[in-house]
Structure formats: C-alpha cells, structure tokens
Amino acid sequence: MAEQQTNSEGRAAEDAGGYWTANVRMIRISLVIWAVVSFGFGILLRPLLSGIGVGGTDLGFWFAQQGSILVFLGLIFFYAWRMNKLDKQYGVEE
C-alpha cells in the first residue's frame, strides 16, 4: 500500500514538473516573439523596413504602432488556446 502511494506521488510530481516546464517554455517563446516584433521590427529593424509601405506609412512604423499590439493580442489568444490543451493533457482543466 505504501509503495502505491509513493508511486502515485512520484507520478504527480512528474506531471506537475512536465506541466510547468511546458507552461514556462510556452511563455518564453511568446515573450521572444513579442520582443522581436515590438522591439526588433519596430525599433532595431525600422530603417530596413522603411521602404515598404503599409497603409500610407512605412512597415517599421506600422509594427511599432499597430503590429506589435496585434501580435500581442494574437499571442494572448494562442496562449489561452494552448493552455486549455495543456490543462486537458495533464488533467487539471476547470
């Protein structure tokens, strides 16, 4: 009986570790994407993107003003969708 309890506790710890590893990985990837789009395209790569026109302005300005916000909103929806799948996978859904 004690062995079964120890095994189930070990599996629960492994599941919790896997859940949080996947969660933190997803957060890191999302933050890198957001940083590249907002800081990289909007500030660092703006001179390279200045020749491409979008809606009456250049692409670098568009990323700084609109694109980073839209990407951020897309990442929020992606994160919520993926977390729901992850919750179901590890049996912690609401």
Side-chain angles (χ1 to χ4, degrees):
M1 184 80 160
E3 286 182 34
Q4 288 178 344
Q5 188 176 14
T6 304
N7 287 340
S8 65
E9 288 174 3
R11 278 188 296 220
E14 286 178 16
D15 285 349
Y19 176 80
W20 283 106
T21 300
N23 188 4
V24 170
R25 184 181 329 117
M26 193 173 12
I27 290 171
R28 285 183 181 159
I29 290 169
S30 297
L31 286 175
V32 166
I33 291 170
W34 188 42
V36 166
V37 169
S38 62
F39 187 71
F41 291 165
I43 297 172
L44 297 177
L45 297 176
R46 187 166 189 268
L48 296 174
L49 300 173
S50 64
I52 303 169
V54 172
T57 187
D58 64 279
L59 187 60
F61 181 78
W62 184 85
F63 268 114
Q65 299 301 314
Q66 301 294 328
S68 61
I69 296 168
L70 295 175
V71 168
F72 181 67
L73 290 173
L75 285 172
I76 289 172
F77 286 108
F78 171 76
Y79 180 78
W81 170 75
R82 186 65 180 106
M83 279 306 296
N84 285 334
K85 286 181 68 172
L86 194 64
D87 288 348
K88 288 178 185 174
Q89 178 182 347
Y90 286 94
V92 293
E93 71 270 10
E94 294 178 2

